[in-house]
Amino acid sequence: MSLIGDGLEKAVQKAFTRPAPKSAGPQMRYLVKQLGGTKAVAQMLRISQRTVERYVKNQIKKPRPDLAARIEREVKKRWQPQIRAKAKAKAASTGGIIIDTRARIGYTAPIGSTDENRIRHLTVALPPHHAARLFDAQEAGAGDTRLQEIAAEGLKEAYFQDGGRRAGSLEEVRFTDIEHLEFDL
């Protein structure tokens, strides 16, 4: 995935009310139940149907590391869809989203202003409509560049312009060289 997409996904996973299955057998049984059969799971994970059946029966208990990562990613992607939807809806309607980042941030403004592009550590609460735009773009399959642009627009409005109270002539915010990025709902 992407840095921002992964960060959004981790933020949503914090809202889970129960932990996802940890070992291979329960994970595989969950995927079989969700996808409606061992054949679909085998195709998704790029392994044989017989291998899936052996995991379901606990005949194999320890998958190789690359397969374990794929299984865990697919389980977490499908785990508690209603809780996931509620968390996204709350962030997009009333709560907003908090972004904690350390990145190179600068801006374009009229001549005479200090538009220095420098490493900044910011923790900013983005308004709900920016959270909605981030989640909508992520679901539509937007790349990291587009998600970065949306986050930069949110930082422009919430941090630099302080919701319209200052820096009204600010044109564009540059948000690059991300060293750290974390979201919280």
Side-chain angles (χ1 to χ4, degrees):
M1 208 179 216
S2 64
L3 181 66
I4 295 177
D6 289 342
L8 289 170
E9 192 61 34
K10 285 178 186 173
V12 170
Q13 289 175 6
K14 289 178 187 176
F16 288 167
T17 57
R18 291 184 332 227
K22 298 277 188 232
S23 59
Q27 285 177 333
M28 205 60 85
R29 285 190 285 280
Y30 177 76
L31 288 174
V32 168
K33 183 178 178 185
Q34 290 296 307
L35 297 177
T38 56
K39 186 175 184 178
V41 175
Q43 289 174 344
M44 178 188 60
L45 295 173
R46 298 182 311 272
I47 56 177
S48 72
Q49 186 175 352
R50 179 69 186 126
T51 303
V52 172
E53 292 167 359
R54 291 173 63 203
Y55 277 112
V56 168
K57 293 179 183 177
N58 278 335
Q59 293 173 344
I60 305 175
K61 294 183 190 268
K62 185 91 170 120
R64 57 187 193 274
D66 63 320
L67 178 58
R70 285 197 315 261
I71 293 170
E72 184 175 352
R73 185 177 61 244
E74 294 299 329
V75 167
K76 283 190 175 179
K77 190 189 302 183
R78 290 167 175 76
W79 189 249
Q80 293 191 325
Q82 292 174 334
I83 301 291
R84 179 185 305 270
K86 282 181 186 177
K88 286 181 180 181
K90 181 181 177 199
S93 62
T94 57
I97 192 167
I98 297 170
I99 181 172
D100 178 46
T101 186
R102 180 169 166 77
R104 184 166 301 281
I105 303 173
Y107 52 88
T108 306
I111 296 173
S113 65
T114 58
D115 61 349
E116 185 179 351
N117 193 12
R118 65 178 187 262
I119 297 286
R120 301 174 197 239
H121 182 228
L122 301 176
T123 302
V124 178
L126 298 181
H129 64 275
H130 285 291
R133 288 182 59 206
L134 280 167
F135 286 127
D136 290 344
Q138 180 190 26
E139 287 178 17
D144 210 30
T145 306
R146 180 65 189 135
L147 292 172
Q148 207 166 328
E149 290 169 3
I150 295 169
E153 291 168 18
L155 289 172
K156 173 185 169 186
E157 181 183 317
Y159 179 74
F160 290 107
Q161 293 182 326
D162 194 18
R165 289 188 280 277
R166 61 184 171 152
S169 60
L170 196 64
E171 295 168 11
E172 177 190 15
V173 170
R174 292 183 299 276
F175 180 48
T176 58
D177 301 338
I178 300 171
E179 295 176 3
H180 165 77
L181 181 74
E182 190 174 325
F183 291 98
D184 200 9
L185 303 177

